Amino acid sequence: MQSTAIQAPADSQGGNALVGDPLLTLQNCSLTLNDTHILRNIDLEIRQGEFVSIIGPSGCGKSTTLRLMLELLKPDADDSSGAGKVIFPKVRPRRGMAFQKPVLMPWLTVRGNVELSLSLGPQKTPQSLRRGKAEAALELVGLLAYANYYPKQLSGGMQQRVALARTLAAEPELLLMDEPFGALDEMTRDTLNLELLKLWENRANGLKSIVMVTHSLHEAVSLSDRVVVLSSRPAGIRTIIDVPLPKPRSAGFVSIEETQPYQQTIARLRRELHRED
Amino acid sequence: MRTDVSRRMPLGILKRYDALLYPLVFISLLLVAWEVSVHVFDIPAYMLPAPSDVLDAMDSDLINHTWVTLQETLWGFLIANIAGFFVAVMFVHFRPVELSLFPVAIALKTTPLVALAPLLVVWLGTGMASKIAASALICFFPVLINSVKGLRSIDAESDELFRTYQASRQEIFWKLRLPASLPYVMSALKISSSLAVVGAIVGEFVGANAGLGYVVLVSSYHLDTDIMFSAIFAAAFIGLAFFWILEAIDRHFIFWQQEGAD
């Protein structure tokens, strides 16, 4: 079934034949938890090589959408319009999650926390390789010097970087982020967004796609290729907007707000968010 | 809270041992006052023996009795903690176990140990076993409750993080639940360390031929108040030393949080 919501033009980068292939598809996903109807008929395709942001009113079900993608929750099977499905290409992509809070284990060092993602589950990394991978991931976020520190010795921004390193260490193809810098002050947040953008543009550790839930229109527009606007609960997709900003963006990141396409996209998103329907 | 100013003062080095120095000085003064009052007011020794007399009464006999009580305390403590933690793990993983055993645990907690002690002596005899049982029984409940609380103390995000990596139940237990529970378990150990001594001594009151509780009881029959005091001090010392050791272990190993657990 082809979704109506994803008829956006092909990725402007073109080139790589793999880019543009679907990595994960939510097909007609509705979700009811404890008799609360949270999501209705979500059709969303995440393609290789794209950065997608999800925005919407608070509590509408943005995080829940990510949890569907992680298969921590299952879509309703008995929806009137057929069962919801989470569809993958032949194999499930490796998925990594970054939460709003860093969720670090206070009893582990920074290195230990990063190694955690390598030492769990059926696909865990052999013990002998964990240290090297963890340290490489810490290097990516610029915290290798703090490998032996404990989380409580670090600032909030540094803790969030450790969490990002932990996620990256496991070499996710699809990185899911749930307002990852939402709890930080604006300057730290801006710095981390730029770092994230650079990691993304370098396709660090085999990244293929990023889906980020955010409350910030600026974050959504400056970072992503497409912005998904959800309606209030039960959330459906109100619209999906392509961001017409050139890539790569990290070089012009600090002055991106001054460009006309940026301002027009922000204005369009605001209109969509405030639209009554 | 020490300020920076006090650290730079010449007596700074002494300030670091405040917590030790102040009580030591205070207790020494108290002992002197006690010794002097006994002599000045001519208080009879069967009412209140002078500290020097109590010191005289601390002989090798007392050490033997202290050793007996110490063993009972340690065994009771050990058994209660292992059993309490094990049952807590069962509670957290198997709901029916919790549903069926929790009321029993509450009933056990609300039954006064003093009422059970004679029964324990009937069942287990006047030797150490009945005291170990009394000690273990009184420790069990706080250990169980704190361990359950600790094992459940993990937040939703940590749980999701582990599930994101498809961690097995074993991995979630060893790498998340267990370490997260340690601050709570440590509080349980501290609480039960004092209770363990109480349990052992109550057991000895009821029927024993050795131990500090036995010494207290027998010396009260003969009005050997100095001996009684020596035994009371020995019992207090066991509890205190035990608590201090656990406190030191807590500070050293559970460095990541002191708050949250009680």
Side-chain angles (χ1 to χ4, degrees), chain A residues 235-275:
Chain A
I237 292 179
R238 179 167 285 173
T239 186
I240 298 179
I241 289 177
D242 288 290
V243 180
L245 288 167
K247 297 196 282 186
R249 297 186 192 157
S250 56
F253 187 70
V254 289
S255 52
I256 199 164
E257 288 159 271
E258 295 159 28
T259 65
Q260 219 185 10
Y262 172 89
Q263 288 162 2
Q264 283 167 348
T265 315
I266 294 268
R268 230 182 117 190
L269 281 174
R270 292 194 60 200
R271 280 199 301 277
E272 289 295 340
L273 280 169
H274 293 286
R275 203 177 77 197

Side-chain angles (χ1 to χ4, degrees), chain A residues 67 101 107 119 121 124 152, chain B residues 160 165 171 175 179 255:
Chain A
R67 279 157 184 79
K101 288 197 276 173
W107 53 86
S119 50
K124 56 173 156 269
K152 73 170 181 187
Chain B
E160 278 197 326
Y165 294 109
E171 285 170 333
K175 292 180 179 180
F255 52 85

Side-chain angles (χ1 to χ4, degrees), chain B residues 30-172:
Chain B
L30 202 67
L31 287 173
V32 170
W34 175 0
E35 179 84 36
V36 171
S37 324
V38 166
H39 293 298
V40 170
F41 300 114
D42 217 13
I43 299 170
Y46 69 86
M47 287 296 286
L48 183 67
S52 54
D53 295 335
V54 175
L55 197 66
D56 279 344
M58 292 185 179
D59 50 12
S60 63
D61 233 23
L62 182 74
I63 293 176
N64 291 334
H65 287 295
T66 307
W67 175 232
V68 170
T69 302
L70 183 64
Q71 287 178 77
E72 294 159 356
T73 303
L74 287 176
W75 280 114
F77 174 82
L78 207 66
I79 291 169
N81 279 288
I82 292 172
F85 189 74
F86 180 76
V87 174
V89 172
M90 293 293 119
F91 272 24
V92 169
H93 286 92
F94 306 105
R95 182 109 179 103
V97 177
E98 180 174 16
L99 288 174
S100 32
L101 280 189
F102 197 72
V104 180
I106 297 275
L108 193 64
K109 181 222 169 24
T110 47
T111 310
L113 177 69
V114 189
L116 279 180
L119 182 65
L120 293 174
V121 173
V122 170
W123 283 349
L124 300 168
T126 51
M128 271 199 217
S130 54
K131 285 82 200 170
I132 292 172
S135 175
L137 272 177
I138 200 172
C139 289
F140 180 77
F141 193 76
V143 172
L144 173 67
I145 289 301
N146 263 342
S147 304
V148 168
K149 210 165 146 190
L151 290 167
R152 293 226 164 105
S153 69
I154 55 175
D155 52 14
E157 285 95 343
S158 302
D159 185 53
E160 278 197 326
L161 176 75
F162 275 67
R163 287 200 291 138
T164 305
Y165 294 109
Q166 289 146 42
S168 63
R169 265 170 91 117
Q170 285 78 11
E171 285 170 333
I172 291 177

Side-chain angles (χ1 to χ4, degrees), chain A residues 2 5 22 29 55 76 81 99 106 131 181 239 249 253 255 268:
Chain A
Q2 179 62 291
C29 285
I55 62 170
D76 292 347
S81 49
F99 298 87
R131 193 185 167 115
F181 311 133
T239 186
R249 297 186 192 157
F253 187 70
S255 52
R268 230 182 117 190

Side-chain angles (χ1 to χ4, degrees), chain A residues 34-76:
Chain A
N34 306 323
D35 295 329
T36 312
H37 197 182
I38 299 171
L39 299 176
R40 64 182 152 87
N41 311 107
I42 301 273
D43 282 307
L44 178 63
E45 190 177 71
I46 306 299
R47 297 183 291 243
Q48 276 195 33
E50 69 173 351
F51 192 132
V52 177
S53 287
I54 301 178
I55 62 170
S58 358
C60 75
K62 301 186 290 290
S63 303
T64 312
T65 311
L66 290 189
R67 279 157 184 79
L68 281 181
M69 295 183 183
L70 277 169
E71 294 174 292
L72 290 178
L73 295 171
K74 278 189 173 32
D76 292 347

Side-chain angles (χ1 to χ4, degrees), chain A residues 174-211:
Chain A
L174 176 58
L175 175 57
L176 303 164
M177 308 180 94
D178 191 359
E179 296 180 53
F181 311 133
L184 301 174
D185 66 86
E186 195 167 349
M187 281 194 296
T188 311
R189 187 174 181 161
D190 205 40
T191 312
L192 287 180
N193 276 332
L194 180 56
E195 281 181 25
L196 174 65
L197 193 55
K198 286 177 178 163
L199 289 171
W200 163 238
E201 285 170 355
N202 294 328
R203 297 294 187 268
N205 280 15
L207 270 181
K208 286 181 177 161
S209 303
I210 298 183
V211 178

Side-chain angles (χ1 to χ4, degrees), chain A residues 15-153:
Chain A
N16 193 341
L18 289 170
V19 169
D21 287 352
L23 198 59
L24 179 151
T25 310
L26 297 182
Q27 191 185 78
N28 192 32
C29 285
S30 299
L31 187 79
T32 310
L33 277 181
N34 306 323
D35 295 329
T36 312
H37 197 182
I38 299 171
L39 299 176
R40 64 182 152 87
N41 311 107
I42 301 273
D43 282 307
L44 178 63
E45 190 177 71
I46 306 299
R47 297 183 291 243
Q48 276 195 33
E50 69 173 351
F51 192 132
V52 177
S53 287
I54 301 178
I55 62 170
S58 358
C60 75
K62 301 186 290 290
S63 303
T64 312
T65 311
L66 290 189
R67 279 157 184 79
L68 281 181
M69 295 183 183
L70 277 169
E71 294 174 292
L72 290 178
L73 295 171
K74 278 189 173 32
D76 292 347
D78 52 354
D79 194 85
S80 51
S81 49
K85 275 187 195 154
V86 185
I87 301 165
F88 302 97
K90 281 171 219 140
V91 282
R92 282 173 164 70
R94 281 190 305 278
R95 283 153 292 169
M97 176 77 165
F99 298 87
Q100 179 168 9
K101 288 197 276 173
V103 203
L104 301 175
M105 307 297 126
W107 53 86
L108 295 177
T109 59
V110 164
R111 181 192 290 114
N113 268 289
V114 176
E115 283 182 19
L116 189 65
S117 66
L118 303 171
S119 50
L120 296 176
Q123 290 159 8
K124 56 173 156 269
T125 310
Q127 179 113 41
S128 55
L129 300 176
R130 284 178 205 163
R131 193 185 167 115
K133 286 195 175 201
E135 289 182 350
L138 278 170
E139 180 120 57
L140 280 177
V141 300
L143 283 184
L144 187 53
Y146 293 87
N148 293 320
Y149 282 56
Y150 284 92
K152 73 170 181 187
Q153 297 171 288

